[in-house]
Amino acid sequence: MSVYVRNMTYLAVLFFGVNMLMLSAPVRVSTAGEVRFEIHPAAAQCDAARPDSAQCDAARYVSARYDSGPAKFRISPDVNRALFPYPDELKPQVNFWIKIFTQYTTKQVVIHDNRYMDIIYAAVELSDVPAPVKGKKQATNPEAERYKIILRKLDALKPGEADSLTGDEQRVYNLFKDVAGEHKFLDAVDRVRSQVGQSDRFKVALARSTMYLADMEKIFAERGLPVELTRLPFVESSFNVQACSKDGALGLWQFMAGTGKKFMHIGKVSDDRKNIMKSTEAAARLLSYNYGELGSWPLALTAYNHGLCGIKKAVNRTGSADIARITKDYTGPYFGFASRNFYAEFIAVLEVLKDVNGYFGDVGFMERDNTDVFTLPKTVTFDALVKNVSLVEKDELIRLNPELTKSAVKSQVSLPKGYGLKLPAGLKEEYESRFERQFASLPDTQPKVVSKARGRGRSGTVRLASARAGHRVVQRDHVVQRAHVVQKGQTVYSISKRYNVSVQSLMTANSIGGTHKIKLGRKLRIPRS
């Protein structure tokens, strides 16, 4: 999603409720890893209740896709062209993105016209670019400038001089044979753009996608939404749960923090933008709301990138709800290349998925993780959990729980009591047993532990110690005395609050007089809490 949409306030979404048709859709994984669905067709109930509703349209479509018996999951959904039209006017854009997704790798940069997408000047191999160069697009700047020079020369071309054109000049001249305008070449100078290829990344995305798509389709189907929408992460993140844009958008669905907080939890311990299912539920809610406001899936999808208010303005300015018309004619200040092409990219993904084997050969689809959820009985640091309880490597536990923040993984903050940690299936009981043995006497809330080695933070406070050091304190004695070096601005009261001890016990343990004065740098003993 663009910065524009992510800065929009979707407060109304929080109160938006629709009586959506709920479809029973349990998911099973066979021993061979084949994902299967069982979705009970409820279109008849919908026909009797609200036969003309948008939710019923989606329900009928989902019911048609999955009959009452099991249906083998397919990477390519049956695209409903009534919901997701593919107008002829968008074919140049769609064909361009099909080439980007299937022909050009991330080691190639395509130089093209950003309006007439069928005009491709060149594909530059990055291996041919002298090093060092920062950025793939920057590496192709000299080549892009060369084509701008050619375009200016063609604009200044006089009658009878066409025979003097070089090979590249003649080729560019021919690319514009169907473009109208007296100064069509000069106008094209400012439209020269570079696009990095994506075919190798798309193939990786295909392999990853089968880990998540079954559950994602279930979420969308339960809301009465077309399952084609679950292919949007191919555009947004290449199904990389760790994807982070330069603007700070995170996860498969690329939510910015501002928008994300309206739909899910974003905190110090976990960020649900990187929780696959919770972020999918959030995306379903946002897309559903957009559709309810706009009445068109092409517009609802474009609003996911550009913002709902922005698309409403585009409809008003152009006097049309046709995506092809808006893409061609709307020139709003924030409606740039990404927004103009967002729906075309989505359609290109659906087209590519129709022939995955033809484009990519053997993909090597990955199977979904079978997991159990272990609910923490007590507050504990991640490192203490890994060291004393875990039966799997730390990196694997992090992979299964991508929503954990860096602060949580580094044990700068503790995992709270009641936190649900995903584990490989079959290990939950052993974790529960080990946790009870290791942390039987651990209080529900561990005291914060201070490390002099970590130094001061920007605010002058002492940073938390590493989890491993903190765990050693707990292992020796869960409530032993600890040491604290007084920092600038700290008082007896603030230190007592930090360690959850009374002011009087802290003063007594350190023989502090009635003035409560303590010197900077003094080492205090922290009494038992």
PDB file of all heavy atoms in Angstrom, residues 277-294:
ATOM      1  N   MET A 277      -2.054 -15.091   9.471  1.00  0.00           N
ATOM      2  CA  MET A 277      -3.504 -15.182   9.490  1.00  0.00           C
ATOM      3  C   MET A 277      -4.159 -13.889   9.978  1.00  0.00           C
ATOM      4  O   MET A 277      -5.177 -13.455   9.440  1.00  0.00           O
ATOM      5  CB  MET A 277      -3.952 -16.363  10.355  1.00  0.00           C
ATOM      6  CG  MET A 277      -3.542 -17.719   9.780  1.00  0.00           C
ATOM      7  SD  MET A 277      -4.132 -17.967   8.080  1.00  0.00           S
ATOM      8  CE  MET A 277      -2.590 -17.885   7.148  1.00  0.00           C
ATOM      9  N   LYS A 278      -3.606 -13.269  10.997  1.00  0.00           N
ATOM     10  CA  LYS A 278      -4.206 -12.035  11.520  1.00  0.00           C
ATOM     11  C   LYS A 278      -4.103 -10.903  10.507  1.00  0.00           C
ATOM     12  O   LYS A 278      -5.024 -10.098  10.366  1.00  0.00           O
ATOM     13  CB  LYS A 278      -3.545 -11.655  12.842  1.00  0.00           C
ATOM     14  CG  LYS A 278      -3.914 -12.601  13.975  1.00  0.00           C
ATOM     15  CD  LYS A 278      -3.262 -12.184  15.290  1.00  0.00           C
ATOM     16  CE  LYS A 278      -3.635 -13.151  16.416  1.00  0.00           C
ATOM     17  NZ  LYS A 278      -2.989 -12.786  17.696  1.00  0.00           N
ATOM     18  N   SER A 279      -2.988 -10.818   9.798  1.00  0.00           N
ATOM     19  CA  SER A 279      -2.868  -9.781   8.772  1.00  0.00           C
ATOM     20  C   SER A 279      -3.780 -10.074   7.587  1.00  0.00           C
ATOM     21  O   SER A 279      -4.302  -9.158   6.943  1.00  0.00           O
ATOM     22  CB  SER A 279      -1.413  -9.655   8.302  1.00  0.00           C
ATOM     23  OG  SER A 279      -0.967 -10.845   7.673  1.00  0.00           O
ATOM     24  N   THR A 280      -4.002 -11.356   7.302  1.00  0.00           N
ATOM     25  CA  THR A 280      -4.935 -11.725   6.237  1.00  0.00           C
ATOM     26  C   THR A 280      -6.357 -11.328   6.612  1.00  0.00           C
ATOM     27  O   THR A 280      -7.118 -10.815   5.775  1.00  0.00           O
ATOM     28  CB  THR A 280      -4.859 -13.236   5.952  1.00  0.00           C
ATOM     29  OG1 THR A 280      -3.534 -13.558   5.491  1.00  0.00           O
ATOM     30  CG2 THR A 280      -5.866 -13.649   4.887  1.00  0.00           C
ATOM     31  N   GLU A 281      -6.729 -11.563   7.864  1.00  0.00           N
ATOM     32  CA  GLU A 281      -8.054 -11.136   8.328  1.00  0.00           C
ATOM     33  C   GLU A 281      -8.194  -9.617   8.223  1.00  0.00           C
ATOM     34  O   GLU A 281      -9.249  -9.100   7.833  1.00  0.00           O
ATOM     35  CB  GLU A 281      -8.254 -11.593   9.773  1.00  0.00           C
ATOM     36  CG  GLU A 281      -8.423 -13.103   9.906  1.00  0.00           C
ATOM     37  CD  GLU A 281      -8.353 -13.560  11.349  1.00  0.00           C
ATOM     38  OE1 GLU A 281      -8.066 -12.723  12.227  1.00  0.00           O
ATOM     39  OE2 GLU A 281      -8.562 -14.762  11.602  1.00  0.00           O
ATOM     40  N   ALA A 282      -7.120  -8.901   8.557  1.00  0.00           N
ATOM     41  CA  ALA A 282      -7.152  -7.438   8.464  1.00  0.00           C
ATOM     42  C   ALA A 282      -7.314  -6.994   7.017  1.00  0.00           C
ATOM     43  O   ALA A 282      -8.091  -6.075   6.712  1.00  0.00           O
ATOM     44  CB  ALA A 282      -5.877  -6.854   9.071  1.00  0.00           C
ATOM     45  N   ALA A 283      -6.581  -7.632   6.110  1.00  0.00           N
ATOM     46  CA  ALA A 283      -6.682  -7.279   4.690  1.00  0.00           C
ATOM     47  C   ALA A 283      -8.087  -7.567   4.160  1.00  0.00           C
ATOM     48  O   ALA A 283      -8.636  -6.793   3.374  1.00  0.00           O
ATOM     49  CB  ALA A 283      -5.643  -8.056   3.877  1.00  0.00           C
ATOM     50  N   ALA A 284      -8.672  -8.676   4.601  1.00  0.00           N
ATOM     51  CA  ALA A 284     -10.038  -9.015   4.171  1.00  0.00           C
ATOM     52  C   ALA A 284     -11.024  -7.948   4.635  1.00  0.00           C
ATOM     53  O   ALA A 284     -11.918  -7.541   3.883  1.00  0.00           O
ATOM     54  CB  ALA A 284     -10.434 -10.388   4.720  1.00  0.00           C
ATOM     55  N   ARG A 285     -10.858  -7.469   5.854  1.00  0.00           N
ATOM     56  CA  ARG A 285     -11.744  -6.430   6.370  1.00  0.00           C
ATOM     57  C   ARG A 285     -11.588  -5.125   5.586  1.00  0.00           C
ATOM     58  O   ARG A 285     -12.577  -4.469   5.235  1.00  0.00           O
ATOM     59  CB  ARG A 285     -11.442  -6.184   7.846  1.00  0.00           C
ATOM     60  CG  ARG A 285     -11.885  -7.301   8.773  1.00  0.00           C
ATOM     61  CD  ARG A 285     -11.361  -7.086  10.176  1.00  0.00           C
ATOM     62  NE  ARG A 285     -11.845  -5.838  10.750  1.00  0.00           N
ATOM     63  CZ  ARG A 285     -11.334  -5.287  11.841  1.00  0.00           C
ATOM     64  NH1 ARG A 285     -10.314  -5.853  12.455  1.00  0.00           N
ATOM     65  NH2 ARG A 285     -11.844  -4.155  12.316  1.00  0.00           N
ATOM     66  N   LEU A 286     -10.342  -4.761   5.306  1.00  0.00           N
ATOM     67  CA  LEU A 286     -10.102  -3.514   4.574  1.00  0.00           C
ATOM     68  C   LEU A 286     -10.629  -3.593   3.144  1.00  0.00           C
ATOM     69  O   LEU A 286     -11.297  -2.664   2.663  1.00  0.00           O
ATOM     70  CB  LEU A 286      -8.606  -3.194   4.573  1.00  0.00           C
ATOM     71  CG  LEU A 286      -8.175  -1.944   3.794  1.00  0.00           C
ATOM     72  CD1 LEU A 286      -8.952  -0.719   4.253  1.00  0.00           C
ATOM     73  CD2 LEU A 286      -6.669  -1.721   3.949  1.00  0.00           C
ATOM     74  N   LEU A 287     -10.347  -4.700   2.465  1.00  0.00           N
ATOM     75  CA  LEU A 287     -10.831  -4.858   1.095  1.00  0.00           C
ATOM     76  C   LEU A 287     -12.357  -4.906   1.052  1.00  0.00           C
ATOM     77  O   LEU A 287     -12.986  -4.336   0.152  1.00  0.00           O
ATOM     78  CB  LEU A 287     -10.240  -6.129   0.477  1.00  0.00           C
ATOM     79  CG  LEU A 287      -8.765  -6.042   0.072  1.00  0.00           C
ATOM     80  CD1 LEU A 287      -8.186  -7.426  -0.176  1.00  0.00           C
ATOM     81  CD2 LEU A 287      -8.595  -5.162  -1.167  1.00  0.00           C
ATOM     82  N   SER A 288     -12.949  -5.577   2.038  1.00  0.00           N
ATOM     83  CA  SER A 288     -14.408  -5.640   2.103  1.00  0.00           C
ATOM     84  C   SER A 288     -15.008  -4.251   2.301  1.00  0.00           C
ATOM     85  O   SER A 288     -16.021  -3.902   1.676  1.00  0.00           O
ATOM     86  CB  SER A 288     -14.831  -6.570   3.248  1.00  0.00           C
ATOM     87  OG  SER A 288     -16.234  -6.600   3.378  1.00  0.00           O
ATOM     88  N   TYR A 289     -14.372  -3.466   3.151  1.00  0.00           N
ATOM     89  CA  TYR A 289     -14.863  -2.113   3.383  1.00  0.00           C
ATOM     90  C   TYR A 289     -14.738  -1.267   2.113  1.00  0.00           C
ATOM     91  O   TYR A 289     -15.666  -0.533   1.748  1.00  0.00           O
ATOM     92  CB  TYR A 289     -14.089  -1.461   4.523  1.00  0.00           C
ATOM     93  CG  TYR A 289     -14.586  -0.072   4.851  1.00  0.00           C
ATOM     94  CD1 TYR A 289     -15.787   0.107   5.526  1.00  0.00           C
ATOM     95  CD2 TYR A 289     -13.861   1.057   4.472  1.00  0.00           C
ATOM     96  CE1 TYR A 289     -16.260   1.377   5.821  1.00  0.00           C
ATOM     97  CE2 TYR A 289     -14.326   2.329   4.757  1.00  0.00           C
ATOM     98  CZ  TYR A 289     -15.521   2.483   5.437  1.00  0.00           C
ATOM     99  OH  TYR A 289     -15.979   3.738   5.722  1.00  0.00           O
ATOM    100  N   ASN A 290     -13.599  -1.362   1.444  1.00  0.00           N
ATOM    101  CA  ASN A 290     -13.417  -0.631   0.189  1.00  0.00           C
ATOM    102  C   ASN A 290     -14.493  -0.994  -0.827  1.00  0.00           C
ATOM    103  O   ASN A 290     -15.046  -0.128  -1.509  1.00  0.00           O
ATOM    104  CB  ASN A 290     -12.035  -0.936  -0.400  1.00  0.00           C
ATOM    105  CG  ASN A 290     -10.913  -0.252   0.355  1.00  0.00           C
ATOM    106  OD1 ASN A 290     -11.146   0.606   1.211  1.00  0.00           O
ATOM    107  ND2 ASN A 290      -9.678  -0.646   0.069  1.00  0.00           N
ATOM    108  N   TYR A 291     -14.786  -2.307  -0.909  1.00  0.00           N
ATOM    109  CA  TYR A 291     -15.799  -2.750  -1.865  1.00  0.00           C
ATOM    110  C   TYR A 291     -17.181  -2.217  -1.489  1.00  0.00           C
ATOM    111  O   TYR A 291     -17.968  -1.809  -2.354  1.00  0.00           O
ATOM    112  CB  TYR A 291     -15.828  -4.277  -1.927  1.00  0.00           C
ATOM    113  CG  TYR A 291     -16.842  -4.815  -2.907  1.00  0.00           C
ATOM    114  CD1 TYR A 291     -16.564  -4.854  -4.269  1.00  0.00           C
ATOM    115  CD2 TYR A 291     -18.080  -5.278  -2.465  1.00  0.00           C
ATOM    116  CE1 TYR A 291     -17.491  -5.338  -5.174  1.00  0.00           C
ATOM    117  CE2 TYR A 291     -19.021  -5.759  -3.366  1.00  0.00           C
ATOM    118  CZ  TYR A 291     -18.721  -5.791  -4.712  1.00  0.00           C
ATOM    119  OH  TYR A 291     -19.649  -6.259  -5.613  1.00  0.00           O
ATOM    120  N   GLY A 292     -17.469  -2.217  -0.190  1.00  0.00           N
ATOM    121  CA  GLY A 292     -18.747  -1.688   0.252  1.00  0.00           C
ATOM    122  C   GLY A 292     -18.926  -0.224  -0.084  1.00  0.00           C
ATOM    123  O   GLY A 292     -20.042   0.235  -0.351  1.00  0.00           O
ATOM    124  N   GLU A 293     -17.833   0.522  -0.100  1.00  0.00           N
ATOM    125  CA  GLU A 293     -17.892   1.949  -0.418  1.00  0.00           C
ATOM    126  C   GLU A 293     -17.882   2.219  -1.915  1.00  0.00           C
ATOM    127  O   GLU A 293     -18.456   3.206  -2.376  1.00  0.00           O
ATOM    128  CB  GLU A 293     -16.695   2.662   0.231  1.00  0.00           C
ATOM    129  CG  GLU A 293     -16.739   2.722   1.743  1.00  0.00           C
ATOM    130  CD  GLU A 293     -17.826   3.649   2.232  1.00  0.00           C
ATOM    131  OE1 GLU A 293     -17.794   4.834   1.879  1.00  0.00           O
ATOM    132  OE2 GLU A 293     -18.725   3.172   2.960  1.00  0.00           O
ATOM    133  N   LEU A 294     -17.227   1.360  -2.700  1.00  0.00           N
ATOM    134  CA  LEU A 294     -17.017   1.635  -4.121  1.00  0.00           C
ATOM    135  C   LEU A 294     -17.840   0.746  -5.050  1.00  0.00           C
ATOM    136  O   LEU A 294     -18.069   1.109  -6.202  1.00  0.00           O
ATOM    137  CB  LEU A 294     -15.525   1.484  -4.458  1.00  0.00           C
ATOM    138  CG  LEU A 294     -14.590   2.460  -3.724  1.00  0.00           C
ATOM    139  CD1 LEU A 294     -13.132   2.001  -3.844  1.00  0.00           C
ATOM    140  CD2 LEU A 294     -14.747   3.869  -4.286  1.00  0.00           C
TER     141      LEU A 294
END
